[in-house]
Amino acid sequence: MKVCKFGGTSVASAEQIKKVADIIQADPTRRIVVVSAPGKRFDGDEKVTDLLISLAEAALADKDTKGPLDKVLNRYSQIAMDLGLGSEVVAIIAADLSWRLAASKANPSLFYDQMKASGEDNSAKLVSAYLSSIGLPAEYINPLDGGMIVTSAPARVQALPESLHNLSALKDRKTISVFPGFFGFTKDGELRTFDRGGSDITGSILAAAVGADLYENFTDVDCVFAANPKVVDNPAEIEEMTYREMRELSYAGFAVLHDEALMPAFKASVPVCIKNTNNPSAPGTMIVAERDFSKRPVTGISADSGFSTLYVSKYLMNREIGFGRKLLQILEDEHISYEHIPSGIDNLSVILRSHQLTPEKEQRIVNRVKNELHADDVQLISDFSMVVLVGEGMKYTTGLAARATLAIARTGANIEMINQGSSEVSLVFGVLKQDETKILKELYSEFFAPVLA
Amino acid sequence: MKVCKFGGTSVASAEQIKKVADIIQADPTRRIVVVSAPGKRFDGDEKVTDLLISLAEAALADKDTKGPLDKVLNRYSQIAMDLGLGSEVVAIIAADLSWRLAASKANPSLFYDQMKASGEDNSAKLVSAYLSSIGLPAEYINPLDGGMIVTSAPARVQALPESLHNLSALKDRKTISVFPGFFGFTKDGELRTFDRGGSDITGSILAAAVGADLYENFTDVDCVFAANPKVVDNPAEIEEMTYREMRELSYAGFAVLHDEALMPAFKASVPVCIKNTNNPSAPGTMIVAERDFSKRPVTGISADSGFSTLYVSKYLMNREIGFGRKLLQILEDEHISYEHIPSGIDNLSVILRSHQLTPEKEQRIVNRVKNELHADDVQLISDFSMVVLVGEGMKYTTGLAARATLAIARTGANIEMINQGSSEVSLVFGVLKQDETKILKELYSEFFAPVLA
C-alpha cells in the first residue's frame, strides 16, 4: 500500500487534478491520498491559503467578507466546473465556509486555524468527488473521524501517539481514502493546524499509521538536486539518499520537503519518494534508511545565509567546569536554539540563526555573558552563511576535507568556521555571506564535475 | 626590573647554581629570583621533592625517618660544600626539616604540603647564601613575610588578590630577593602548595606584583620549538609568540610552561621569556601580548593523545532547545570538563580528556544521556588524539585549512573531527591515536619546510 501526498501546485487546477487522478489510477496500491489546498497555477497567482487568510482577517476586523469569500469560492467553482462536476460539491464547500465564518472569533488564533484548514479540507472533498465521478471508489475522510488527534494549546501542534493507532484503520478500507493535509483535532475537538511542513506531515503520519510500503510525495520537481538549480547550472539529480542526508541538506537551503515532516515515516521505516505530478514517469528521489553509497562520497551541497555568531573569549575558559553549560542556559532563557559551537582553548563561538535575535535580545545576551560569565570579550556578528557538504560516504573517504578546503581556497574566500564531528555525514563551513555563492559553485564543480574519460 | 625563575635542573647542583649566579650578575635589573627545589642532575637521579615525599610518607606511617631525612640533607650538604659555603646554612636547613617533621600530622594533606614546600624553601636559603658569599647583596624572603597569601581549603590553591599588593613591596628592596616558589600561606598562616605549575606560578605572581619589565623563566631548553623534538627532527625555534599561542600549544603536548602559570603575568601585561640556564646567551622564546605575525602563519604544531569522544545522536536534536545544555549538565555533575563539541544536525560529539573518566562514570553518563535526554544513540569512544595548528596569522591566511587537510590526506589517515571557530588562532584535528605521529610530521613539513630558493 502506498500513501501519496499531492502538494499545492498538484491540485491548483482541474488540469492538475486530472494528472493526480491518472497517477492514482495507474497504480492500484495507491490507496491513501493526502492533498494540500490549491496552490498557484502560474507566477503571480494567489494560493487559496492566502485567500483564506485575507478572508479570516476581514472577518476578524468585522469588515465585509463577501469579496474575499467570493475569491475563494470562485477558485473551487472554476476547478469543479473544469472537472465537469455538478454544483453539489461547490454547495458543500460554500456551506462549509459559511459555517466556519460564523464560528466563534473569541480566540483569533483558533479562528485562523479553522479558516486556513478549510483550504485542504475542501480540496480533499473536491478531489474525492472527482475521483468518484470517473469511477474510482474514493471517499473523503474528515481528520476528526479518521482520528488525527493533536496536542492542545499552548503546546506546539504535533500528532499524539494514539493518532497512529486510530489512523491505522484506513488500511482496511475498500475505497481510496482522500485525506486533507495540514490539520488535526485536539481531544476537545478543537481544530489546529501544523506549524510547518503542513500536508507533508499529514502524509508522513498516515504512511506510518498504515505501515505503507512507500510514501510518495508528489511535487512539481522531478527529483531533489545535488545543489540549488538557481545557483548551479543543471545540477546532478539525486536518485537515492538517506533520511540523515535529507535532514542535513534541508538544514541549509534544501526546501523540497520540510525535514521534520519525515519524522513519523522515518520512525516507522517507511521509505519516501519525491516525485513530480507533471512527470510521474521520472523515477524521482528515494529517501531511505540505509543505502549503498559507493558511487559518490558527496550526495549534495547546500548553502544558507542568515546565521549569526556569538563569539565569547575568556582566559582559561576550558578549565572552568560549567562555562559552556551556563552560556547555553543564557541562550535557552531567550528561547534561542543554536546550530554549532566551535571552540578554541580560551574562546568559543555559538552559531545560531539570526532570525531568532532582536536588538533587545542581543543586548541582554551580551550583557549577561559579560556580567555573569565574566567573559573577556563578547561579540555578536551577523551575515554568516553555512555551506554544508552532505554524504553518507564522506567519513570513509580520506582526503575529502582537503578537496573541499582546497576548492574554497581557489575562490579566494576565507573559511570562518569548520565543523566536522565524528560519525557524521556532513562537513559544515561557516563563511561570509558575500562568499556563499562562489563557494557553492566551486564545491559543486569539485565534487560533481563529470569525470573525463 | 626583571623577575627570574629558575627551575629544578637549574638549581640541581653547585655547578648549576653557579650558572644561576652568573646570570644574575650579568644583568643588574635581575632583582627578584624565584627558585624551585633541586631537580635531577642526571638521568635516573632523584628530585629533592620526591625525596621529601618519601620522608613525609615515612613520618606519617610512624616509620624510621633517619634514612629518608639523610638523603635530603645530603643533597643540600653536597651542594653547599661544592659551593664552598660554611656549615651554617646546612644547619639552618637541618633545623628547618626537624621542625617540620615534628609538626602536627593531624591533617596529612597539610603535613605533606609542609614537607614538600621545604624543597623550594631551603633551596632559596641556599641560593641566597651563595649569592651573598660571592658578594651579591641577596636576601632570602619567606613567603609568609613577603605576603604570598593563598586561598584556604577546600578551595583550590590560588593566590589571593591582596598578594599582589603585599608583594609589590619587593620592588623597593635594595637587595636581590630570593623567593622560594611553589607555596604560600592562608590568612590563618597555614602553608599550602600550588597544585600545578608550582614555581612558575610564584614567578608569574611576583612579576605581576612588581610590574616587572620582563619575567624570565629559566629552564634547560634554549627555546620553545615549533613541534615536539622527540617526533620532528630539529624543529624550528620559536622566537616570539603570543600568550594565546602559548596557551593553545600547551593545550596539546607543549609542556615548557604550565599554561595557567602565565595568568598573573598575562593580566599585568608582563612579557615572558623562556631561557636556558645552560645557554643564557641564546635569545630564548618571548611570550608577548601582541606580535607581528607576518612571517609564518603557523607558529607551532602540537599533538596529544588521551582524548575520548562522547557521541550522541537524536533525531531533530537541533530543534530541541536545551538539549546541549542538559548534556553539559550531566558532564558537570560528574565534574568533567570538555574540550570541543563538534556537531551535525542530529548529533554531536563532546571531546574530553580520558583521564577524567572511570568505568563507573562512563556508565552513569551513558545511562543518563539515554534515559534523561532520550538519545537514539550514545557512545563513548577512546583513543583519540588532538593535533593542533597554532598561529595568530592563520585567520588571515586563505587556503590554510586546505594545506593542512591535504597534508593529513597524504598520510592516508582519516580526520575524525575538525574544529575551527571564528576569530581563532588554532585549527584542531581529531584523529586516531595511531595516526598522531605521522600527521604531526607531515603537518610540520608542510608548514615549516625550508623554502627553496
Side-chain angles (χ1 to χ4, degrees):
Chain A
M1 177 180 285
K2 291 175 186 162
V3 172
C4 311
K5 179 257 166 180
F6 294 91
T9 57
S10 304
V11 293
S13 65
E15 185 192 4
Q16 290 301 92
I17 291 174
K18 285 178 182 169
K19 291 180 191 168
V20 170
D22 288 345
I23 289 166
I24 294 165
Q25 214 158 9
D27 183 344
T29 67
R30 288 173 175 143
R31 308 281 301 159
I32 298 175
V33 176
V34 176
V35 294
S36 296
K40 292 183 184 180
R41 293 158 294 185
F42 45 83
D43 260 8
D45 193 17
E46 287 178 294
K47 292 180 181 182
V48 165
T49 304
D50 292 334
L51 298 178
L52 288 165
I53 289 170
S54 302
L55 173 58
E57 279 168 0
L60 281 170
D62 234 353
K63 291 189 185 158
D64 179 36
T65 54
K66 189 173 181 305
L69 177 60
D70 282 350
K71 272 191 165 183
V72 176
L73 284 174
N74 285 346
R75 276 296 293 273
Y76 286 112
S77 307
Q78 179 77 48
I79 296 173
M81 191 174 73
D82 293 349
L83 287 172
L85 294 175
S87 60
E88 197 189 340
V89 66
V90 179
I92 290 171
I93 293 171
D96 173 85
L97 282 166
S98 317
W99 170 81
R100 288 180 201 254
L101 276 170
S104 162
K105 293 166 194 71
N107 183 333
S109 161
L110 288 180
F111 182 74
Y112 266 116
D113 278 5
Q114 269 288 3
M115 293 306 298
K116 283 191 293 179
S118 76
E120 277 72 12
D121 201 38
N122 290 321
S123 179
K125 292 172 196 164
L126 199 59
V127 169
S128 169
Y130 177 65
L131 294 178
S132 300
S133 79
I134 61 168
L136 284 170
E139 207 167 349
Y140 155 79
I141 308 286
N142 186 312
L144 186 61
D145 302 335
M148 178 68 87
I149 311 296
V150 300
T151 46
S152 299
R156 233 179 111 225
V157 188
Q158 280 187 298
L160 290 171
E162 59 246 54
S163 293
L164 292 178
H165 172 74
N166 299 341
L167 295 162
S168 70
L170 290 179
K171 71 172 180 288
D172 301 322
R173 297 182 77 95
K174 304 291 172 222
T175 52
I176 296 168
S177 303
V178 183
F179 204 102
F182 190 40
F183 68 97
F185 291 85
T186 67
K187 284 182 179 166
D188 299 333
E190 252 171 12
L191 184 153
R192 293 188 83 196
T193 58
F194 293 118
D195 287 348
R196 295 182 287 192
S199 301
D200 291 333
I201 293 186
T202 304
S204 181
I205 292 166
L206 290 181
V210 303
D213 301 307
L214 185 63
Y215 170 31
E216 292 180 314
N217 195 298
F218 283 88
T219 62
D220 50 8
V221 291
D222 274 1
C223 61
V224 179
F225 292 104
N228 186 348
K230 286 177 190 155
V231 177
V232 171
D233 290 336
N234 296 314
E237 300 184 354
I238 301 178
E239 288 170 29
E240 189 180 60
M241 65 176 147
T242 64
Y243 282 112
R244 298 211 301 166
E245 289 174 324
M246 174 74 197
R247 284 267 303 138
E248 303 263 350
L249 284 170
S250 66
Y251 159 75
F254 272 58
V256 172
L257 257 198
H258 188 263
D259 54 357
E260 199 172 334
L262 286 185
M263 197 182 201
F266 169 70
K267 287 202 166 165
S269 303
V270 177
V272 177
C273 191
I274 311 279
K275 287 181 74 79
N276 189 352
T277 301
N278 304 314
N279 184 18
S281 62
T285 298
M286 283 293 293
I287 305 170
V288 297
E290 302 288 336
R291 72 178 181 92
D292 175 26
F293 43 82
S294 53
K295 287 182 213 159
R296 280 194 208 273
V298 176
T299 300
I301 310 171
S302 58
D304 204 6
S305 59
F307 291 88
S308 295
T309 293
L310 173 66
Y311 171 80
V312 181
S313 80
K314 183 180 182 184
Y315 190 62
L316 293 178
M317 177 191 288
N318 74 334
R319 291 284 161 72
E320 209 176 312
I321 288 184
F323 189 91
R325 194 260 311 153
K326 287 174 202 153
L327 179 66
L328 296 185
Q329 183 68 61
I330 290 173
L331 292 176
E332 194 175 334
D333 292 345
E334 298 285 351
H335 304 288
I336 284 173
S337 66
Y338 60 87
E339 307 299 327
H340 303 288
I341 317 176
S343 59
I345 313 303
D346 289 331
N347 54 64
L348 59 79
S349 301
V350 185
I351 315 277
L352 43 87
R353 290 188 193 264
S354 314
H355 69 78
Q356 303 178 97
L357 295 169
T358 61
E360 294 74 32
K361 281 191 176 194
E362 290 193 18
Q363 201 51 55
R364 275 200 302 270
I365 291 168
V366 169
N367 287 345
R368 287 191 63 188
V369 175
K370 272 189 188 149
N371 299 334
E372 297 172 25
L373 301 185
H374 309 289
D376 298 331
D377 188 15
V378 187
Q379 288 174 53
L380 246 166
I381 309 154
S382 54
D383 279 338
F384 277 95
S385 286
M386 295 288 142
V387 180
V388 187
L389 285 177
V390 176
E392 292 275 355
M394 279 168 46
K395 65 183 159 187
Y396 305 108
T397 311
T398 297
L400 193 126
R403 285 176 65 189
T405 47
L406 209 57
I408 295 174
R410 281 198 298 272
T411 70
N414 211 352
I415 301 173
E416 304 290 322
M417 185 212 79
I418 306 178
N419 196 297
Q420 182 207 316
S422 34
S423 302
E424 286 188 20
V425 297
S426 67
L427 179 55
V428 182
F429 296 100
V431 299
L432 298 182
K433 182 170 185 261
Q434 68 201 49
D435 296 327
E436 177 190 321
T437 297
K438 66 182 175 187
I439 289 174
L440 177 58
K441 285 182 187 208
E442 192 66 33
L443 285 172
Y444 183 83
S445 54
E446 173 64 31
F447 291 103
F448 289 92
V451 179
L452 298 175
Chain B
M1 177 179 287
K2 290 174 185 163
V3 172
C4 311
K5 179 257 165 179
F6 294 92
T9 59
S10 303
V11 294
S13 67
E15 187 192 2
Q16 290 300 92
I17 291 174
K18 285 177 182 169
K19 291 179 190 166
V20 170
D22 288 345
I23 288 167
I24 293 165
Q25 217 158 7
D27 183 345
T29 67
R30 288 175 175 142
R31 308 280 304 158
I32 298 175
V33 177
V34 177
V35 295
S36 296
K40 292 182 182 181
R41 293 157 295 184
F42 44 83
D43 259 7
D45 193 16
E46 288 179 294
K47 292 179 180 181
V48 165
T49 303
D50 291 335
L51 298 177
L52 288 165
I53 289 170
S54 301
L55 175 57
E57 278 169 0
L60 281 171
D62 234 354
K63 291 190 186 155
D64 179 37
T65 55
K66 188 171 182 308
L69 177 60
D70 283 350
K71 272 191 164 180
V72 176
L73 283 173
N74 285 345
R75 277 294 296 274
Y76 286 112
S77 307
Q78 181 75 49
I79 296 172
M81 192 173 72
D82 293 349
L83 287 172
L85 295 175
S87 61
E88 198 189 338
V89 67
V90 179
I92 289 170
I93 293 171
D96 174 85
L97 283 166
S98 315
W99 170 81
R100 287 180 201 254
L101 276 170
S104 162
K105 295 168 192 70
N107 183 334
S109 162
L110 287 180
F111 181 74
Y112 266 116
D113 277 6
Q114 269 288 3
M115 294 305 299
K116 283 191 293 180
S118 76
E120 278 71 12
D121 202 39
N122 290 319
S123 180
K125 292 171 196 163
L126 199 60
V127 169
S128 169
Y130 176 65
L131 294 178
S132 300
S133 77
I134 59 168
L136 284 171
E139 208 167 348
Y140 155 79
I141 308 288
N142 185 312
L144 187 60
D145 302 334
M148 177 68 86
I149 311 298
V150 300
T151 45
S152 300
R156 234 178 111 226
V157 189
Q158 279 188 301
L160 290 172
E162 58 247 55
S163 294
L164 292 178
H165 173 75
N166 299 340
L167 295 163
S168 69
L170 290 179
K171 71 171 179 289
D172 301 321
R173 296 183 77 96
K174 304 291 172 222
T175 53
I176 295 167
S177 303
V178 183
F179 203 102
F182 190 39
F183 68 96
F185 291 86
T186 66
K187 285 183 179 165
D188 299 332
E190 253 170 14
L191 183 152
R192 295 188 82 196
T193 58
F194 292 119
D195 288 348
R196 296 182 288 191
S199 300
D200 292 332
I201 291 185
T202 305
S204 180
I205 292 166
L206 291 179
V210 304
D213 300 309
L214 185 63
Y215 170 33
E216 292 180 314
N217 195 297
F218 283 88
T219 63
D220 50 8
V221 292
D222 275 1
C223 61
V224 180
F225 292 104
N228 186 349
K230 287 176 190 155
V231 177
V232 172
D233 291 336
N234 297 315
E237 300 183 354
I238 300 178
E239 289 170 30
E240 190 181 61
M241 64 177 148
T242 63
Y243 282 112
R244 298 210 302 164
E245 289 174 323
M246 174 75 197
R247 284 267 303 135
E248 303 263 350
L249 284 170
S250 66
Y251 159 75
F254 272 57
V256 172
L257 257 199
H258 188 265
D259 54 355
E260 198 172 336
L262 286 184
M263 196 181 198
F266 169 69
K267 286 201 167 165
S269 304
V270 178
V272 179
C273 190
I274 312 279
K275 287 182 73 80
N276 190 353
T277 301
N278 304 314
N279 185 18
S281 62
T285 298
M286 283 293 293
I287 304 169
V288 297
E290 301 288 337
R291 74 179 181 91
D292 174 27
F293 43 82
S294 54
K295 287 181 212 161
R296 278 193 208 276
V298 175
T299 300
I301 311 172
S302 59
D304 204 4
S305 57
F307 291 88
S308 296
T309 293
L310 173 65
Y311 171 80
V312 181
S313 79
K314 183 179 181 183
Y315 190 64
L316 294 177
M317 177 191 286
N318 74 334
R319 291 284 160 72
E320 209 175 312
I321 289 184
F323 189 92
R325 195 260 311 155
K326 287 175 202 153
L327 180 67
L328 296 185
Q329 183 68 60
I330 290 172
L331 292 175
E332 194 175 335
D333 292 345
E334 298 286 350
H335 304 288
I336 285 173
S337 65
Y338 61 86
E339 308 298 327
H340 302 288
I341 318 176
S343 59
I345 313 303
D346 289 331
N347 55 65
L348 59 82
S349 300
V350 185
I351 314 279
L352 43 90
R353 291 190 192 265
S354 313
H355 69 77
Q356 304 178 98
L357 295 168
T358 61
E360 294 74 34
K361 281 191 175 190
E362 292 192 15
Q363 201 52 57
R364 275 201 302 270
I365 291 168
V366 169
N367 286 345
R368 286 191 63 188
V369 175
K370 272 188 188 152
N371 299 334
E372 297 172 25
L373 300 186
H374 310 289
D376 298 331
D377 189 14
V378 187
Q379 287 175 52
L380 246 164
I381 309 154
S382 55
D383 279 338
F384 278 94
S385 287
M386 294 288 141
V387 181
V388 187
L389 286 177
V390 176
E392 291 275 358
M394 280 168 44
K395 64 182 158 187
Y396 305 108
T397 312
T398 297
L400 193 127
R403 285 175 65 189
T405 48
L406 210 56
I408 296 174
R410 282 197 296 272
T411 71
N414 211 351
I415 301 172
E416 303 290 322
M417 184 211 80
I418 306 176
N419 196 296
Q420 183 208 313
S422 35
S423 301
E424 286 187 21
V425 296
S426 67
L427 178 55
V428 182
F429 295 99
V431 300
L432 297 182
K433 181 169 185 268
Q434 67 201 47
D435 297 326
E436 177 190 320
T437 299
K438 65 181 176 188
I439 288 173
L440 178 57
K441 285 181 189 216
E442 192 66 32
L443 285 173
Y444 182 83
S445 54
E446 172 67 30
F447 290 103
F448 290 91
V451 179
L452 298 176

